[in-house]
Amino acid sequence: MSAQTHHALDYIEIGVDDFAAAKAFYGGAFGWTFTDYGPGPAYVGINGSGGEVGGFRLTDEVSAGGPLVLLYSDDLDASAQAVRDAGGSVVRGPYEFPGGRRFHFHDPAGNELGVWSAG
């Protein structure tokens, strides 16, 4: 487990309306692994380097407009294709910005996230 850093981004919760679909999408697109909690499960943890870095929380309705979460990729075009192959949709880009390239996508629940690359 890595130590937390004061005022640094530490944990992300993504609202979903279907745990199985979220796990299939993020596992397929990015290779994420998960920990199911509770008898329902009530919550699903997202495992990353150094431990759990976030989770899915069950919600009746996913709404747009929350914080934009950005992931990093060593191969942006391959990541965009992995999103499509896993059932997501690229909704913007890939495009260049100062510092690299990025794209935004919607997961099957309708959450918008981004992926960026330095090259």
Side-chain angles (χ1 to χ4, degrees):
M1 212 54 169
S2 62
Q4 281 74 34
T5 302
H6 184 59
H7 288 172
L9 183 63
D10 185 63
Y11 200 81
I12 296 169
E13 290 187 350
I14 300 172
V16 299
D17 56 5
D18 183 333
F19 283 134
K23 287 167 48 176
F25 172 74
Y26 285 98
F30 303 111
W32 292 3
T33 61
F34 309 95
T35 302
D36 292 324
Y37 292 102
Y43 189 80
V44 176
I46 301 167
N47 302 312
S49 61
E52 196 170 276
V53 297
F56 298 127
R57 62 181 163 71
L58 195 59
T59 183
D60 291 333
E61 184 178 324
V62 176
S63 59
L68 180 64
V69 175
L70 290 168
L71 310 173
Y72 182 79
S73 174
D74 289 328
D75 186 338
L76 196 71
D77 295 318
S79 293
Q81 188 59 50
V83 163
R84 291 182 195 98
D85 291 346
S89 58
V90 173
V91 296
R92 184 171 174 210
Y95 62 91
E96 293 188 24
F97 73 100
R101 296 175 62 225
R102 72 191 249 180
F103 69 88
H104 293 201
F105 68 91
H106 286 168
D107 71 8
N111 292 295
E112 183 171 336
L113 286 83
V115 182
W116 78 281
S117 177

